[in-house]
Every structure is written in C-alpha cells, then in structure tokens.
Amino acid sequence: MVHAFLIHTLRAPHAEDSGLCRVLYSCVFGAESSPDDPRPHGAERDRLLRKEQILAVARQAETMCRLQQQASGRPAADLQPQPSDEPVPLHEAPRGAFRLAAGDPFREPRTAVWLGVLSFGFALVLDAHENLLLAENTLRLLARLLLDHLRLLTPGTNLLLRADRIEGILTRFLPHGQLLFLNDQFVQSLEKEFSAALPR
Amino acid sequence: MGTGSQSLTQICRVLTPQLGPGGSVEPILRCFNLTDDSVTAGRGGAGRAPGGGGMAAAGTERLLRQAREVRDEELGQFCARASALLRTEEPGPEAVDALRRLFLIVAATKYGRKLEDECVDLLQTALGPPPRPEPLQLLCAAILRETAPRPGLSLSCDCVQSPRQLSLVASVLLAQGDRRQVRSVGQRVFQVLESRQPEGPSARPLLPVVSKVASLAPGSFREDQANLLSKRLADWLRYASVPQGPAPSGGFFTPRARQPGPVTEVDGAVATDFFTVLSTAQRATEDQWLNVQAFSMLRAWLQLGGPGAPDTDDRSEQEGSSLSVLSAAASTGRLLPPERLREKAFQYCQRLVEQSTRRALRRADADLQKACLVEAVLVLDVLCRQDPSFLYRTLSCLKALQARLNGDPACVRVLLPLAQFFLGHGEAAAVDAEAVCRQVFGRVPAEHFHSPMLAFEFVQFCRDSLPLLGRHLGLLRRSFPGLLQLLAWNSPALTAEFVALLPALVDASTAVELLHALLDLPCLTAALDLQLRLSPAASERPLWDASLRTASCPDASQDPQLQGRLQHLLRTEASGAPERLAPLYPLLQPMAGCARVLQCAEAVPTLLRAFFSAVTQFADGALTNQLARLLLERSDSLYPVPGYEARVHQCGLSASTWR
C-alpha cells in the first residue's frame, strides 16, 4: 500500500539558486503508530515529524530529478508549460525510485517512486516490496489526472487552493493508499464520476 | 465556481458588519488575499516567456508565505467565519472556498496551528449525516487529517452507516496513530460490510479501509471475521458477473440502457472466462468493481489479513517473511488464509497470465498487463510459500511464461520477480536456478542500463536475492561488470544501493578486477554514452546526453585494438585479466566533461571507501596492501575527467588507514 502521496516543486536543472524545494501538497494514508507517548506535546511532535519526513522525501526526489535532467542534458526550458493541446508525454518524463532505510526518515523501511512533469514533482511513498510497476503506472495516471483536472498547464492556476479536487482524485484512484489495477475502461468510468461530483 | 476575487468580495460583505469596535478589516482581508490571481501577473500572452515557470513559482512561494504569516488572532477570526459558513443550512461555494484556504493555512507549515474548538467540532459534524456536498466533506476530512494527531477528537464511526462517509471518517481516525482506534475502525467497517443490503449503497469505499487496517494493525479482525472476509474476497475474485450480450429471460422488463454491456478482453475479443482486472466492461457492475479491489488487496490480505495475537507489533516480521523461503505460517504463528481463497487466488493468477498474451488495444492496458504479470508472480510466490502443494501447477505456468517473455524487451521488468520465484523455489522444484541467473545477469543490465526504474529494481533484486542465491553467489560476483553498467549510468540514484551491495560482491578472486572497474567507472559511463550514440535504440528521445553534440563520433570499429578494449570495458562478466584502457581515452575524450560522467566521477570515492571497508572484512594483509598500492598506481592513469584524478589520489592516500 501507499503510505503517502506528495506534490513538490522542481527547480530548473541549471538554476543557480532559485529557492528551496517546497511541498505543495501531501497526504499521508494512516499514521505510523507512534510509540506510546501519552504526553500532551507528543501529538505536536508527531505531526512535526510527519511533515519533516515528507519534506525529506520531496528534497531527495527533487535532487534525483535534477541530477537526472542534468545527466540527460535536457534544457531548462522543459520546465515551462508549452501552450499547446498536445498531452504532456508522460512516458518520457524523468522518473525514478529510491529506497528509504528504516529510521531514515520513516520508522519502517519504504521505497519512494517519483515523477517529474514540468515544474511539478509527484511522488509516492510505498511500503517495502510493493509492485513498483503498478506504482509507476499509478503515479503517471495521477499526474495526468491532476494536470488535466486542475489545469496545471494554464498560467494562473495554482494547486495550493485546489485541495478538494486533489482529494477527489485520490479518493477514487488511490483510496486509502490502495494501488488499484485499473484498466482503461475503469479509469474512464472513475473520471466521469469525478467530473460529475466535482464539476469545474 | 467563482474566481478567488469574486468570493473575496462576497465574504467581505458578510464580514464587515460583524467587526467589533477597534477591529480592522486589514488583518482578515489579508487572510483572504490568498488568491491565485497573484500568479497571473498580467503576462497577457501565452507562457512562452522564459521566465514563465519562474513567475508561477514566485506566485506559489508568495501564497505559501502568506499562509504561514497568518497570525494566530487572524486565524481565530478566520475559523469563526468558516464556522459561520459551515453552520448554514446548505453550505455553498463560499464555505468550500473558506475551507480551501483553511486547509492551506494548516498545511503550509510544519508547526501546529491552533484551530478553534468550535470550528473543529463543525468540521467533524460535517462528516456525518446528513450528507453534505462532496467537496465540502473532502476538505473537512483533509483539514482534520492535516492537523492529526489530535487528542480528544470526538469523531467516531459508530453511527455512520453510509460506506462513503464511513470511508472519510475512517481516513481521519486512521491518521491519529492510535492502534486501538485502528482496530475499532476495522470492526465498524466489518459490521457495515456484513450488514449491507445488495440494493444499498456500494461497498466499494470500504475494501481499501479493510486493507489499510490490516496493514496498520495486523490481527485487527477475529478469526471468524477474517474467514468471512476471505470468503467474500474469494467470491468477488472468482464469481463477478460476466453477462454475455443481451440478458436472457429476466431482461424483458429491464430497460436495455441499464444492462451491463458485454465483457471483453483488452484486445477487444469477447471474454472467454471469468472476470478479472484485465476484463473490460462498458458499465461495470458492483461486483466487477469489487473484483478489481479484491485483487488489488489480495497479496497484502494473504500475508497480513489473518487473525493473530492482537497486541504484538509483528509487521516487521511480515516484511522479513516476504523474503524468506520459509512458509509464512511457520514464521509468524499466524493462521493461513482459508484454502478456498488461496485456490481462487491461484486460478485468478493463472487467468491473468493467460490474458497477458493478448495484444492490448490501448497503451495503458498494455502497461497494466505487465503490472498484472508482476503481481501474479508475486501472489503465486506467496501461495507457494504458504502451501508447497501449489508448486507443481505454478511451475508449469511460470516456466511457460518465462520462455515467452525472454525475447521481449518490453517485458524485462517481469523477468525479475520471475527469476526471484525460481531462485526461491528452485531447490524444491528442481529448476536450474543457475541458468535463470545467467540469463538475467548476463543480458538484462547491458540491454537496459538506461532505464532508471529497471536499474533500481535490478539492484533491489540482487539485494533481495542474496539469501536465496546460496551456492550461486559466485555467479552474482562474476557478473559485477554488468551491474556496474547500471551504476555507471545511474550513479546518483544507485550509489547508496551499491554501497550496501558491495560486501556481497567482493571476494578474493574478484577484488583486483573490481577495484580496476570501480576506478574505470567514469570511463564506462562515457563508453555507454558512445555506444548509445552509435547504435541508438528505438526511443522517442535520445538516451545519451542531448546537450553534447559530438560532430563526428570517432569510429572505433576501424581499429581492432581499440575495439577489443572497448568490448572489454563493456563486458558483462568478470574476465580475470585486467586490461589497460588508456588507449581508449582519446576516443572517449568528448564525453569527459558531460554531466553524467561528472556525476559518476563524484560517486567513485564513496564506492572506493565501501570497497576497502568490505575487503578488510575478509582479506589478509597482503591482499589489502596490494589493493592499496594498486589504487595509488592507477591514480595517474585514469580517464581524464576534471577533478577526478585529484579525488582518487586523495582516496589512495587515506586507503592505507582504512582497516
């Protein structure tokens, strides 16, 4: 199952210093159960830890993406949305995976799968020994849905204030972090349901 | 829905009369300045300007900063506004808008934000009956999850009947990190699942909750409950409806529009057997949906879904058992899932393997077929470990599959779990594990080093297979040159993995050749780049460094000496006889400055340290000295990457201290 899904910023591969990696959205599916800590500030600390774990994953994904972009010699202009009707070629988008050892940063060992599209990074944090091919397909699907339904290619839209739509997509396509074996017909069905429930 | 600025005006109109004396509009307005119009920046035309992405990033940065800078008093007032909107009879777009902003405010910072109790209560109430609009409920759940863990949450799933609402409430409760709460969510979901009417609301939202509960707190379900769930899963897997065209007799009074369409395979042919995730239906029925979900959660359920001792944290045990060849039952003391479910699971996997021979009409379905194959192999592996009597039937199925996939480069990722299966069960089934390994190690890295996902999975496969290799470990060791191709091409992603793998790769017979190979790693990167340029694979984008245009790639094929050395560099098996690669350096000189080579050069010192650390575990003083000397000698005959020689020389100086 998926432990967390996140969207983060991607900086241009050759940019000198254009700020920090920001987590734009994150959703954790079920908390790692904390060691028994009934002290009142335990809750604050748990939340802080959770946010920092997600940020750590985002930073590493962003670094990996940037290094991969540099290595393949892709120009920085790839990060800008090109105003055309052609769908963004997600099968060729930079992607990868890395292992997260136990304790670093999650209590359990996990694996992260990431995908870079324009200036957005999408990542899944998986339980160890998940079906990586399915995870990769799912991540590509989520990225496509988010790009389409949040109109991320249109200048002026910002996903920071669209959490309901992101949640609507996750509820259907990654419910409680369950990776689903959805063939094209089922995907279309769910998309129709989503468009009906959350019209633009 | 309205734009940000329109709702801002509406909210201001609601707000202004309610401000007390001395309250200024400014602080609250600032809350509502979190509009996305700040991003448009009046660029007018389409975003071809080079700074386009930069402006969007600046807008995002500004929004995040604004959200973080909202002061506590402002937040309190904002909560009051949101509460007022939530209390209305039918909360409309303004309520959704307010909740979107509230979500951003709490999510934008890693430090806790204090939400007014009344607001939190209303958020919880909104999740229960009567059903509110979906966007509203989604945001309420999201805000409550974002601020979790929250002691004193009054939210409970005891009275929630609707599966969709129960799923939302569950998402909040499961985020609290309290194992008892997880168990009680499991119990409630089970109750609702069992008591639901066939014509009632769909049970679809509940299965993922069952799966999540089982994974967060194994043993949440009693034996009788787990057995009942297993029975349902088996039914959904095997007996989902497959109507064949127009319905017979009973269909006369049912309008055609409500008939589920005929079920087809992914290649368009009419379905020949029971429904699976690779079957397509025009309008899917409830049980077809449940079929998809049941398979999606099957492997985890087989491993974790059984009842067990309620208070032990044995998840890590389960993780370990997915690697071990011992039966899962023996290692955890947990009861096996019922035989009926296991049998249906087996049949399902067999059917998937059969369905994967079809040529999918859509690319997404072709991708799914491969993912299904991987899953089928993984599930069959679990089944065979739980009950070796499945082995005979599984082997014939999987051997045929392997033969079919061997020549197909598109299916290379399926070969890895297959190989792991044969390694794991080879002894019991008299499979030639060595042949399997030779095929995998010999060809896969050399042909697919440029695929980042495969490279990662391959190294994982090596690490996971270590306990299974036994007497075939020597084969892995001798295959290190092929593995190094993966590392050379994907050094940032794989260096840490290789550091962990090195101790298993090094032994007295390979140490010298391996050290040479590590020192020649950047040279290997350049050679792989050259190889790709000279014989490009069919791909939409160039796989080599696109920023480096070599006007004329020097052709090595004219000089047999150079050709020979190039082949040695690109070998996939240890040769036992190191060769001088310096004659290749002029040929590869154009690539010396490109990013991929530089990245690799940066990774080498780390690898050298790990190498020497591994060597000192088994080597005697003589070998270690020989290696340290070799390192120093080689440090002035390296592929000329800027800065590389200095770094290696530095390593060489400290190598003698790595004991």
Side-chain angles (χ1 to χ4, degrees), chain B residues 248-320:
Chain B
S249 58
F252 184 77
F253 294 107
T254 317
R256 258 211 93 131
R258 280 204 270 128
Q259 294 294 320
V263 172
T264 57
E265 306 283 346
V266 290
D267 61 359
V270 173
T272 53
D273 204 345
F274 63 90
F275 190 90
T276 71
V277 293
L278 287 177
S279 312
T280 61
Q282 279 288 331
R283 270 172 301 278
T285 60
E286 164 85 351
D287 52 356
Q288 286 169 344
W289 276 109
L290 292 169
N291 178 294
V292 171
Q293 291 200 335
F295 180 66
S296 299
M297 64 181 273
L298 179 62
R299 186 160 51 99
W301 182 257
L302 287 175
Q303 290 176 297
L304 297 169
D311 288 313
T312 53
D313 178 9
D314 40 16
R315 252 200 101 211
S316 50
E317 237 183 278
Q318 283 296 346
E319 297 298 340

Side-chain angles (χ1 to χ4, degrees), chain B residues 47-256:
Chain B
R48 275 201 198 275
M55 299 198 98
T60 301
E61 192 65 31
R62 198 163 32 239
L63 257 179
L64 283 172
R65 207 177 45 241
Q66 281 179 344
R68 286 182 185 151
E69 286 172 1
V70 168
R71 294 195 306 269
D72 285 348
E73 322 83 75
E74 291 172 311
L75 180 56
Q77 287 164 331
F78 189 68
C79 280
R81 290 316 123 218
S83 302
L85 289 165
L86 278 172
R87 252 186 264 116
T88 60
E89 274 284 321
E90 283 181 10
E94 297 95 345
V96 171
D97 202 64
L99 289 183
R100 284 173 164 185
R101 286 154 177 30
L102 188 58
F103 176 81
L104 177 58
I105 295 173
V106 296
T109 169
K110 61 184 179 183
Y111 299 110
R113 301 296 307 236
K114 172 101 180 60
L115 291 182
E116 302 301 313
D117 289 339
E118 192 204 358
C119 187
V120 174
D121 286 340
L122 283 166
L123 290 172
Q124 293 177 79
T125 314
L127 290 181
R132 315 287 203 284
E134 187 177 331
L136 197 85
Q137 288 195 314
L138 287 173
L139 285 166
C140 291
I143 295 169
L144 290 170
R145 272 202 317 270
E146 239 326 293
T147 54
R150 185 170 210 99
L153 203 68
S154 64
L155 193 63
S156 136
C157 47
D158 288 341
C159 303
V160 185
Q161 284 291 355
S162 142
R164 201 180 67 79
Q165 282 183 346
L166 182 52
S167 168
L168 268 178
V169 170
S171 75
V172 175
L173 294 175
L174 294 178
Q176 303 303 317
D178 180 353
R179 197 161 270 196
R180 278 160 316 184
Q181 217 158 27
V182 172
R183 287 189 215 287
S184 65
V185 166
Q187 290 295 309
R188 178 70 186 142
V189 168
F190 178 81
Q191 266 176 13
V192 172
L193 258 179
E194 281 313 297
S195 65
R196 86 183 218 290
Q197 303 300 320
E199 305 82 33
S202 167
R204 256 202 280 156
L206 296 179
L207 280 191
V209 187
V210 169
S211 191
K212 189 49 110 170
V213 164
S215 109
L216 287 175
S220 293
F221 301 104
R222 297 188 316 262
E223 187 180 340
D224 58 307
Q225 295 175 326
N227 285 344
L228 205 46
L229 284 168
S230 294
K231 177 179 184 310
R232 299 255 177 274
L233 287 174
D235 287 337
W236 289 324
L237 284 175
R238 186 61 184 78
Y239 301 115
S241 48
V242 183
Q244 305 293 330
S249 58
F252 184 77
F253 294 107
T254 317
R256 258 211 93 131

Side-chain angles (χ1 to χ4, degrees), chain B residues 372-542:
Chain B
C372 285
L373 275 179
V374 169
E375 189 73 12
V377 174
L378 294 175
V379 171
L380 288 169
D381 184 50
V382 170
L383 292 174
C384 289
R385 276 188 286 113
Q386 289 179 343
D387 181 358
S389 72
F390 278 112
L391 207 49
Y392 180 71
R393 290 189 285 166
T394 309
L395 278 172
S396 57
C397 172
L398 292 187
K399 278 190 202 172
L401 178 63
Q402 197 205 18
R404 179 159 61 86
L405 295 182
N406 243 331
D408 187 355
C411 294
V412 61
R413 286 174 68 179
V414 186
L415 287 180
L416 297 180
L418 261 180
Q420 195 157 356
F421 179 92
F422 289 125
L423 280 173
H425 299 277
E427 298 290 342
V431 160
D432 188 358
E434 171 135 357
V436 168
C437 287
R438 205 173 291 122
Q439 269 174 348
V440 168
F441 290 127
R443 287 182 32 220
V444 173
E447 291 172 17
H448 299 274
F449 61 84
H450 47 78
S451 157
M453 291 300 295
L454 177 86
F456 175 80
E457 282 197 293
F458 197 92
V459 180
Q460 289 290 289
F461 160 72
C462 291
R463 293 188 59 187
D464 291 346
S465 302
L466 285 177
L468 305 173
L469 279 171
R471 56 193 165 86
H472 304 301
L473 185 57
L475 183 59
L476 172 65
R477 291 191 173 139
R478 286 194 302 280
S479 310
F480 78 76
L483 295 182
L484 288 183
Q485 291 192 15
L486 302 173
L487 176 61
W489 198 255
N490 305 280
S491 53
L494 292 184
T495 301
E497 302 302 306
F498 262 85
V499 163
L501 191 59
L502 261 175
L505 282 182
V506 194
D507 67 10
S509 64
T510 56
V512 171
E513 195 179 342
L514 182 51
L515 180 55
H516 277 291
L518 287 175
L519 292 167
D520 290 324
L521 214 53
C523 188
L524 176 58
T525 311
L528 291 171
D529 187 285
L530 180 67
Q531 187 185 51
L532 284 175
R533 273 173 219 274
L534 293 179
S535 50
S539 155
E540 283 150 40
R541 280 194 170 185

